[in-house]
């Protein structure tokens, strides 16, 4: 297990790196990511959504 000073050093480095990147670049990274549902469950939520939407239209 890392000591607390190593952990504080790592967190500080991450925060400094985050703050040093331009805001526009951070926004581009955020918009380029896939949604958490897709990352965690693949295409299953999307396929269920499409199936339910088509079922509602049929009614």
């Amino acid at each position: 297990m890392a000591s607390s000073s190593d952990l504080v050093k790592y967190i500080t480095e991450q925060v400094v790196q985050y703050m040093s990147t331009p805001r526009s670049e951070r926004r581009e990274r955020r918009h380029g990511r896939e949604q958490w549902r897709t990352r965690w469950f693949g295409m299953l939520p999307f396929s269920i959504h499409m199936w339910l939407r088509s079922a509602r239209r049929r009614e």
Side-chain angles (χ1 to χ4, degrees), residues 8 13 26 35:
V8 170
E13 288 174 355
R26 288 184 295 205
Q35 294 181 352

Side-chain angles (χ1 to χ4, degrees):
M1 179 110 187
S3 66
S4 60
S5 63
D6 291 340
L7 184 60
V8 170
K9 181 180 175 183
Y10 172 75
I11 292 173
T12 305
E13 288 174 355
Q14 294 298 314
V15 169
V16 168
Q17 181 181 4
Y18 176 79
M19 296 303 289
S20 66
T21 57
R23 180 175 278 183
S24 59
E25 187 176 328
R26 288 184 295 205
R27 284 185 182 158
E28 287 175 11
R29 268 193 225 153
R30 191 177 335 149
H31 291 295
R33 291 195 303 212
E34 54 189 354
Q35 294 181 352
W36 68 269
R37 294 179 307 216
T38 308
R39 256 187 288 152
W40 280 57
F41 303 109
M43 293 300 290
L44 187 63
F46 181 68
S47 60
I48 291 172
H49 172 73
M50 286 181 57
W51 178 67
L52 289 174
R53 189 173 54 189
S54 67
R56 282 188 214 137
R57 286 184 184 165
R58 279 188 242 138
E59 290 179 354

